[in-house]
Amino acid sequence: GQQVMQIPQYQHVQEGEDFTTYCNSSTTLSNIQWYKQRPGGHPVFLIQLVKSGEVKKQKRLTFQFGEAKKNSSLHITATQTTDVGTYFCAGTTSGTYKYIFGTGTRLKVLA
Amino acid sequence: GAGVSQSPRYKVAKRGQDVALRCDPISGHVSLFWYQQALGQGPEFLTYFQNEAQLDKSGLPSDRFFAERPEGSVSTLKIQRTQQEDSAVYLCASSPTGAVSYNEQFFGPGTRLTVL
């Protein structure tokens, strides 16, 4: 069945360093969403990408959707302690209602 | 306005008991999703409703799991004869329209189910 993998599984960075997580789907996606989940919390929507090759920025966060719509990345510039949490990508395929979540990347930021 | 709410927040059940988990989506939201999240894992899709219609239940793990949304607002996820492997956080999410590919999902706080 459809799988969405994320790497790395864990990342520890010093505050101020950059961070990138990669999301790879076994099938072509209609769209991809990114969520952040703080420890003990619930997923919170960050952004959605729909077009092939799309790039979106939110302050220090940059999101990309691959040309083949099978992969995506989230890059955080100059991490802060408030960036701590697990980042999930989630995608759906054409004609379905089902979102497949990635395995997640847990980010720890050391002050 | 109010976000998605879920109740109870925590539920402890003995193996074999039936449980019912409630989700109150954001008022007026058409789409409602249920997910199961095991510790350290990503949310796994269980089922999807568009108003009162259950359009996808492909993620329900067994016939012990049943979901309903009879009036197109509140939804209930019922698990019969709970097993230890059912222990997880059950998340509910709602979206404004039925255009699933174009709407963000608003998640509730989840119900943590522990089966002893």
Side-chain angles (χ1 to χ4, degrees), chain B residues 43-58:
Chain B
E44 281 202 33
F45 173 87
L46 294 177
T47 187
Y48 167 75
F49 289 88
Q50 194 170 103
N51 295 311
E52 69 279 4
Q54 188 175 21
L55 299 185
D56 190 334
K57 55 181 181 179
S58 63

Side-chain angles (χ1 to χ4, degrees), chain B:
Chain B
V4 178
S5 61
Q6 293 186 244
S7 60
R9 292 292 312 279
Y10 303 91
K11 177 70 178 177
V12 178
K14 292 184 179 179
R15 190 161 56 97
Q17 281 185 331
D18 297 350
V19 298
L21 312 180
R22 177 186 169 109
C23 172
D24 282 84
I26 294 172
S27 178
H29 275 199
V30 169
S31 291
L32 187 145
F33 301 82
W34 281 99
Y35 293 91
Q36 181 189 62
Q37 187 173 28
L39 189 64
Q41 305 294 316
E44 281 202 33
F45 173 87
L46 294 177
T47 187
Y48 167 75
F49 289 88
Q50 194 170 103
N51 295 311
E52 69 279 4
Q54 188 175 21
L55 299 185
D56 190 334
K57 55 181 181 179
S58 63
L60 296 177
S62 76
D63 59 7
R64 296 186 295 105
F65 287 70
F66 172 77
E68 60 183 4
R69 194 186 185 198
E71 297 178 358
S73 54
V74 170
S75 178
T76 304
L77 176 66
K78 297 179 180 177
I79 309 173
Q80 297 178 325
R81 305 181 303 282
T82 52
Q83 304 294 315
Q84 284 190 322
E85 62 262 28
D86 299 334
S87 295
V89 174
Y90 290 85
L91 294 165
C92 173
S94 69
S95 290
T97 75
V100 166
S101 295
Y102 295 96
N103 291 162
E104 68 177 274
Q105 298 175 65
F106 294 84
F107 280 83
T111 295
R112 182 178 296 277
L113 173 64
T114 302
V115 182
L116 303 176

Side-chain angles (χ1 to χ4, degrees), chain A residues 36-39 81-87 105-108:
Chain A
K36 176 183 178 181
Q37 187 171 24
R38 294 181 183 273
T81 54
T82 53
D83 296 326
V84 164
T86 301
Y87 292 84
T105 296
R106 184 177 298 177
L107 173 65
K108 287 192 175 180

